[in-house]
Amino acid sequence: MRRPLCLAMLGFVAAVRVITWIKPLPVPSPPAEDGQRCTIVGTVRDIISYTDVTTGCPIQLIFLKAAASDTSFDLQNNSEFSNSDHFNQQISNTTTEYKDAAQVICRLASENLLPEEESRLPEIGSRVRYQGKARHFREATNPGEFDERAYYAGLGISMQLTDAVLTGKSRNYSAYRHFLYEIRCRAGDILETVFPEKEASVAKAMLLGEKKGIDRELKSLYQEAGIAHILAISGLHISLLGMGLYRLLTLRLSRKTASLLSSFVLISYLIMTGASPSAVRAVFMFFLYMLAGLAGRTYDMPTALSLAAVLLLVENPAYLSNSGFQLSFMAAAGAAVVIPRFSGMGSEAARAGGGIRYTPPAGPVKKKLIEGLRASFCISLTTLPVLLASFYEWNLFSVLLNVLVIPLMGILMGGILLLVLAGCLFTGLGAAGGMLLSMMALPVRGIFLIYEKLCLLTQHLPGRWHAGMPHMWQILLFYAGLAVLLALAEKIPKKAGWPLAAMLCLIFAVNPRGETQLTMLDVGQGDCIYIRTESGNHYLYDAGSTSRKDSGTWQVIPFLKYQGVDRLEAVFVSHWDEDHVNGLDAVFEWADQSGIPIGGLVLPGEGPDGDEPDKLLESARNHGIPVYRMIAGEELSDGKTSFLCLYPQKNGFYKDRNASSLVLKLRVKGDGEEPAFTALLTGDVEAEGEMRMLEEEKEAKYSGELLEGCDILKTAHHGSDTSTTEEFLDTAAPSLALISCGKNNSYGHPHKEVLQRFEERGIPVLITTDCGAVTIRSKNKKIKVQTFLDVD
């Protein structure tokens, strides 16, 4: 009955997936408007303290559950309530009033919080009142961009309260949970004392689940190497700690007592570290394993896994869209189902072949190595679609790397835990105790160093697969093929089975070509346009923003990963204003580290005297990118696609950088004389430049280039009325205009005059502030327009 029960529970999970596809789950409603000063009352669920990796300042985050706005509180006169008995009694009585409200994160006002001020932090489980400024989580507006709003909504968190000030708290709190919190704080302090800052952040993430303070470069290094799973509290950590504790307890205690104690300790550890979905899954399965042993029943891992999924989804169906939940369960499924089937691969085929074959037994080292490779391959195979859907790339060497990394995790976790216990015992020994702890930390630091060196080694190996975001049909076909392979595993010879399994991965390498794609990204007050040609080559036109910090890191690079960019043929720069180029340095750095070649940096060939883009040229030189210049009449061809430069003109006079913008005509050849697709990329060119292009058109130097009209017009200068003149617009006659600008920008872009010109001519306009990224696809003269956000 075990497997039918497992199938029934998997059916429940599938039903939840289908239902949430048809009818999306409701998003928790924030208790205050974005930017509003407000007072929030709630119950403290958790407190996270870490050091911001960018500023170096200590940060305190207070997680509140059952939180709601308190409109009865006087924001201007709150000091009298801070410690009064009346206030404490009043706030205690509001516990049931907001029991169904959403969760809120309070970010404390002082980022330079002094250690003595930590006494002002509330206790876990206490009812508190915080005053601050409401900040709603940002919604993703580009493909591949992290959707902050969706992520926190899936966890039931509705908003963040910034510059939060505690104005009162109740006397009642959870003594047990606050005791666990104090243990976590004490353990974190010890690790920060024992290790340097970077290593301490990793140790705290592994043991305590505190991931926010991890060194950004090191975290990125682990992710690119495919071993980032060791930084999160997962099944690997729980099994190491749980089984290690259980075996230790059985040396002195009965199995029943050891099972109960180890289960209690693990549940407490789960609460202390934040109870992430992957940790809950692992602890629940450990508990079932202990229970099965005590009851004398067989533990069935697939059934335990599916039951854990059902219970978590009953609590919160939104977990099904959480990448951590997906990776945790797929990795466990690989261990529970795929590894056993691959272990027995070819057994029936071998029996059918007849005869007796003697196979010499493998040595213990060779046997462990084979088992490790099999386990790593099977789990990587099972989680591959989820990894690609979450990170858009995969390191082929992660299979080998995990074989080396995972065996050391037992020593690493045991060593970190031993250091925390020793730190508690050596309190008060002063310098002698610190020296002893430093010596004890050497093996752990050695393993950290090995991990880092192995990750750096993979950076220089050609194993990075930039697959991009997989299509749903690819994911379904992959898992269908894997299911067939598992069903027939015993009948398939091993020599054929393993290559077949590896070939399944090639499904994600299928990338149908034959269409042209142009995407204007939403980077706020700036410009960034991506072009993919019919032959599958990738180009970039500008990448910068003055309204969004690190737009290259948070918008442009995730999009390029999403598209599966493995080479940029050229990066065109219209001109070198910050809102067009300040994201390129991050793109160049990412491309260099990821082994993605860039064919060249193309700049306008003319411009104001002495106005050279020194930073941009230096960045290109540092990353080995050749620099080219284009002037009117020059053309870059890529199969049926060409980029014709219309501006700037040779030996012209240009008053500023905007006036010398690189204007390109993107053309895709059709079957006849007429082009199948055309687009004008205009940078920030102004009215004078537009008039010069029209004059050149009249002189027949580029006969028909503008008069034929264009399908897409990238509106110059973010919709400023200094560009897009009526004569230019009448000549270009676009079918669609695109405008990139920031929301509520100080320049007033796009200007009403420009929008009115479009309206008078019946030209539809799409603005990134309203619709997010805009993607245009052209194939066989058919043009499809898609906006990332829904628009009326």
Side-chain angles (χ1 to χ4, degrees):
M1 283 297 293
R2 291 196 303 264
R3 293 304 163 82
L5 178 61
C6 178
L7 291 175
M9 289 185 287
L10 289 176
F12 172 83
V13 174
V16 172
R17 175 76 276 182
V18 172
I19 292 171
T20 52
W21 263 337
I22 297 173
K23 186 177 181 180
L25 295 168
V27 176
S29 179
E33 295 296 326
D34 192 25
Q36 174 188 348
R37 295 289 301 177
C38 63
T39 300
I40 298 295
V41 175
T43 302
V44 179
R45 180 176 64 83
D46 197 8
I47 301 174
I48 294 180
S49 305
Y50 66 98
T51 300
D52 189 283
V53 294
T54 304
T55 64
C57 297
I59 304 295
Q60 304 280 352
L61 299 179
I62 314 296
F63 288 76
L64 303 183
K65 63 181 180 179
S69 177
D70 184 3
T71 56
S72 65
F73 186 55
D74 183 2
L75 298 181
Q76 303 300 324
N77 185 21
N78 57 56
S79 58
E80 63 179 294
F81 295 101
S82 298
N83 298 302
S84 70
D85 291 338
H86 171 71
F87 171 78
N88 290 329
Q89 182 62 37
Q90 180 189 27
I91 203 168
S92 298
N93 292 337
T94 63
T95 303
T96 57
E97 184 179 350
Y98 305 118
K99 63 180 179 180
D100 296 323
Q103 299 180 52
V104 170
I105 301 177
C106 294
R107 187 186 182 102
L108 295 198
S110 175
E111 293 191 350
N112 298 302
L113 195 68
L114 299 175
E116 58 266 21
E117 292 180 284
E118 292 187 359
S119 60
R120 295 167 48 192
L121 294 175
E123 293 80 12
I124 305 296
S126 62
R127 196 71 177 160
V128 295
R129 174 178 272 149
Y130 272 98
Q131 177 188 343
K133 185 178 181 180
R135 185 184 78 82
H136 292 184
F137 296 112
R138 192 176 177 278
E139 182 180 22
T141 58
N142 299 285
E145 183 180 358
F146 174 64
D147 196 326
E148 190 181 40
R149 181 184 298 179
Y151 172 78
Y152 283 107
L155 299 176
I157 300 173
S158 62
M159 74 171 200
Q160 185 173 136
L161 195 70
T162 61
D163 298 329
V165 177
L166 178 66
T167 57
K169 61 181 180 180
S170 67
R171 290 194 181 92
N172 299 328
Y173 64 94
S174 173
Y176 169 63
R177 293 188 61 201
H178 192 71
F179 172 69
L180 294 177
Y181 165 72
E182 289 179 335
I183 292 177
R184 190 180 75 192
C185 291
R186 177 61 179 149
D189 291 341
I190 292 171
L191 294 176
E192 288 178 352
T193 303
V194 172
F195 295 109
E197 184 178 351
K198 184 167 70 172
E199 294 173 354
S201 69
V202 177
K204 289 168 68 177
M206 288 181 173
L207 185 66
L208 307 175
E210 297 183 2
K211 296 186 292 183
K212 285 188 174 292
I214 300 178
D215 181 83
R216 185 177 294 173
E217 290 185 6
L218 194 61
K219 183 179 180 180
S220 177
L221 192 65
Y222 278 43
Q223 286 177 339
E224 291 168 358
I227 63 169
H229 59 90
I230 68 174
L231 297 175
I233 304 294
S234 63
L236 176 63
H237 301 69
I238 297 298
S239 60
L240 288 172
L241 293 174
M243 292 307 300
L245 178 62
Y246 173 74
R247 288 167 183 165
L248 187 64
L249 290 174
T250 51
L251 297 177
R252 292 288 182 180
L253 303 173
S254 65
R255 289 180 55 198
K256 180 178 180 180
T257 305
S259 297
L260 293 175
L261 280 176
S262 56
S263 297
F264 172 75
V265 171
L266 272 192
I267 291 172
S268 299
Y269 177 72
L270 174 69
I271 296 171
M272 183 183 74
T273 55
S276 66
S278 59
V280 172
R281 188 271 306 166
V283 170
F284 179 76
M285 292 179 69
F286 176 84
F287 178 75
L288 287 183
Y289 178 79
M290 293 288 105
L291 190 63
L294 292 177
R297 302 294 297 272
T298 302
Y299 173 73
D300 186 62
M301 190 174 176
T303 302
L305 179 64
S306 55
L307 180 58
V310 168
L311 293 178
L312 275 168
L313 292 178
V314 167
E315 179 201 355
N316 184 3
Y319 282 149
L320 204 52
S321 300
N322 184 286
S323 60
F325 176 94
Q326 295 170 0
L327 285 170
S328 176
F329 275 87
M330 293 311 299
V337 179
V338 182
I339 292 176
R341 296 298 295 172
F342 271 63
S343 298
M345 182 174 285
S347 57
E348 189 174 322
R351 288 195 299 270
I356 300 175
R357 297 180 183 179
Y358 173 73
T359 304
V365 175
K366 183 179 179 180
K367 184 178 180 182
K368 285 288 185 183
L369 183 61
I370 292 172
E371 290 176 352
L373 280 170
R374 182 193 299 127
S376 182
F377 176 82
C378 290
I379 291 175
S380 295
L381 188 70
T382 313
T383 58
L384 179 61
V386 181
L387 283 169
L388 292 182
S390 301
F391 304 109
Y392 319 123
E393 58 186 6
W394 183 53
N395 194 325
L396 301 177
F397 286 100
S398 64
V399 176
L400 295 175
L401 199 58
N402 277 291
V403 175
L404 301 174
V405 165
I406 291 177
L408 295 174
M409 278 297 292
I411 302 173
L412 187 61
M413 291 293 292
I416 295 173
L417 185 59
L418 184 62
L419 283 169
V420 171
L421 296 175
C424 295
L425 294 174
F426 296 165
T427 301
L429 294 183
M435 186 177 297
L436 184 57
L437 284 174
S438 297
M439 293 177 62
M440 292 176 63
L442 289 177
V444 174
R445 295 188 64 184
I447 294 175
F448 281 149
L449 182 62
I450 292 172
Y451 282 2
E452 187 172 350
K453 293 300 182 183
L454 287 172
C455 292
L456 289 171
L457 177 63
T458 62
Q459 278 194 334
H460 303 289
L461 297 175
R464 193 81 61 83
W465 181 20
H466 307 281
M469 178 67 177
H471 299 284
M472 182 54 66
W473 67 264
Q474 291 175 310
I475 295 174
L476 295 176
L477 186 60
F478 175 87
Y479 279 126
L482 182 59
V484 171
L485 190 62
L486 294 178
L488 302 176
E490 294 180 351
K491 299 179 181 180
I492 301 175
K494 285 186 177 181
K495 290 184 179 180
W498 290 92
L500 283 174
M503 287 178 64
L504 271 178
C505 302
L506 296 179
I507 290 172
F508 299 108
V510 177
N511 186 13
R513 296 179 179 178
E515 70 172 15
T516 301
Q517 177 184 333
L518 183 150
T519 299
M520 172 176 276
L521 275 66
D522 177 22
V523 291
Q525 187 63 24
D527 263 340
C528 182
I529 295 176
Y530 160 84
I531 300 112
R532 186 179 66 200
T533 64
E534 285 188 354
S535 56
N537 293 329
H538 310 274
Y539 296 83
L540 206 59
Y541 180 86
D542 286 343
S545 174
T546 53
S547 64
R548 293 190 184 177
K549 188 178 180 181
D550 297 331
S551 62
T553 301
W554 302 115
Q555 278 87 43
V556 183
I557 292 174
F559 176 82
L560 296 178
K561 289 182 178 180
Y562 181 93
Q563 293 294 330
V565 172
D566 53 5
R567 174 184 170 86
L568 277 170
E569 298 298 329
V571 176
F572 299 101
V573 171
S574 64
H575 61 298
W576 33 93
D577 280 352
E578 286 294 295
D579 59 336
H580 291 255
V581 300
N582 65 9
L584 286 177
D585 193 45
V587 172
F588 294 165
E589 183 71 26
W590 163 73
D592 197 6
Q593 292 181 356
S594 302
I596 296 174
I598 298 178
L601 176 67
V602 183
L603 306 177
E606 295 285 342
D609 294 337
D611 192 0
E612 289 293 326
D614 295 331
K615 280 182 61 178
L616 191 59
L617 292 173
E618 183 182 0
S619 180
R621 271 195 307 270
N622 292 339
H623 295 96
I625 302 170
V627 178
Y628 304 97
R629 306 261 182 178
M630 285 186 83
I631 59 172
E634 295 181 342
E635 188 173 19
L636 186 155
S637 296
D638 181 345
K640 291 184 177 181
T641 304
S642 65
F643 299 87
L644 175 65
C645 180
L646 302 181
Y647 202 74
Q649 296 160 0
K650 191 173 183 179
N651 300 325
F653 171 77
Y654 305 98
K655 61 181 180 180
D656 56 30
R657 287 175 290 197
N658 287 349
S660 62
S661 288
L662 181 68
V663 179
L664 298 178
K665 179 85 169 187
L666 169 67
R667 300 183 300 178
V668 180
K669 294 180 182 178
D671 296 332
E673 295 182 2
E674 293 293 322
F677 176 76
T678 59
L680 271 178
L681 311 179
T682 57
D684 278 0
V685 71
E686 296 185 335
E688 184 179 352
E690 293 175 348
M691 294 305 297
R692 288 186 184 180
M693 282 186 277
L694 291 175
E695 289 171 2
E696 292 294 309
E697 176 69 31
K698 292 175 183 178
E699 293 176 10
K701 291 189 177 181
Y702 311 112
S703 178
E705 289 301 335
L706 291 176
L707 291 176
E708 68 186 11
C710 65
D711 296 307
I712 306 298
L713 171 66
K714 181 268 168 189
T715 308
H717 206 176
H718 319 287
S720 169
D721 60 5
T722 60
S723 308
T724 319
T725 60
E726 293 188 358
E727 187 177 355
F728 181 82
L729 199 54
D730 289 336
T731 307
S735 301
L736 175 68
L738 307 180
I739 298 178
S740 175
C741 60
K743 190 174 183 179
N744 300 323
N745 63 84
S746 59
Y747 307 101
H749 296 156
H751 290 161
K752 293 180 180 179
E753 295 86 345
V754 175
L755 295 178
Q756 186 175 353
R757 291 170 200 163
F758 285 125
E759 185 178 358
E760 290 172 351
R761 289 159 180 78
I763 301 172
V765 181
L766 291 176
I767 308 172
T768 54
T769 53
D770 300 327
C771 56
V774 183
T775 297
I776 293 97
R777 290 184 171 88
S778 172
K779 186 175 184 180
N780 299 327
K781 294 188 177 182
K782 294 181 179 179
I783 298 176
K784 181 181 179 181
V785 179
Q786 180 182 5
T787 60
F788 188 79
L789 302 179
D790 294 331
V791 291
D792 296 333

